[in-house]
Amino acid sequence: TNQHRKEEGQKRPSTIIEAADQLSVGSRTIRRAKRLLKDGHPDIINEVEAGSLSVHKALEVSKYPRTDQPMILSKMRKLAIERTQALL
């Protein structure tokens, strides 16, 4: 499970700073997560929540049109595998 999910009984933060304090992260991380939630394809967001994709990489992908994001992520992963194999 995601270490930053809201615990039961925990009040909802009203500011980015409160959210950052509750989650023990920087306010910049909260801003990035908000941007990802706004611009990211649901599949990309789900991967971040599952821990299989970093927020940083997801934000790179979310710069593209939402409908193209899953395909772009797939191509990025394939390219990374090919580059790794070329080094072996």
Side-chain angles (χ1 to χ4, degrees):
T1 63
N2 189 319
Q3 67 184 12
H4 300 300
R5 288 199 186 269
K6 183 178 167 187
E7 297 292 325
E8 196 166 321
Q10 194 176 32
K11 78 172 194 143
R12 183 181 173 129
S14 59
T15 67
I16 287 175
I17 293 171
E18 285 179 10
D21 286 345
Q22 272 188 14
L23 298 173
S24 300
V25 298
S27 58
R28 188 175 181 184
T29 299
I30 299 297
R31 285 187 191 94
R32 288 177 176 161
K34 283 181 70 171
R35 188 170 57 225
L36 179 59
L37 288 171
K38 178 180 162 271
D39 299 334
H41 187 280
D43 292 349
I44 304 299
I45 294 167
N46 288 339
E47 288 205 35
V48 171
E49 289 177 345
S52 60
L53 183 64
S54 70
V55 172
H56 176 78
K57 190 63 71 178
L59 282 171
E60 285 182 32
V61 174
S62 73
K63 293 176 184 175
Y64 296 95
R66 188 172 289 163
T67 55
D68 296 341
Q69 292 175 20
M71 176 202 54
I72 290 167
L73 179 60
S74 177
K75 287 182 178 184
M76 288 171 70
R77 285 182 169 153
K78 183 178 179 186
L79 230 167
I81 290 169
E82 289 171 358
R83 286 181 180 162
T84 302
Q85 288 173 342
L87 294 174
L88 303 177

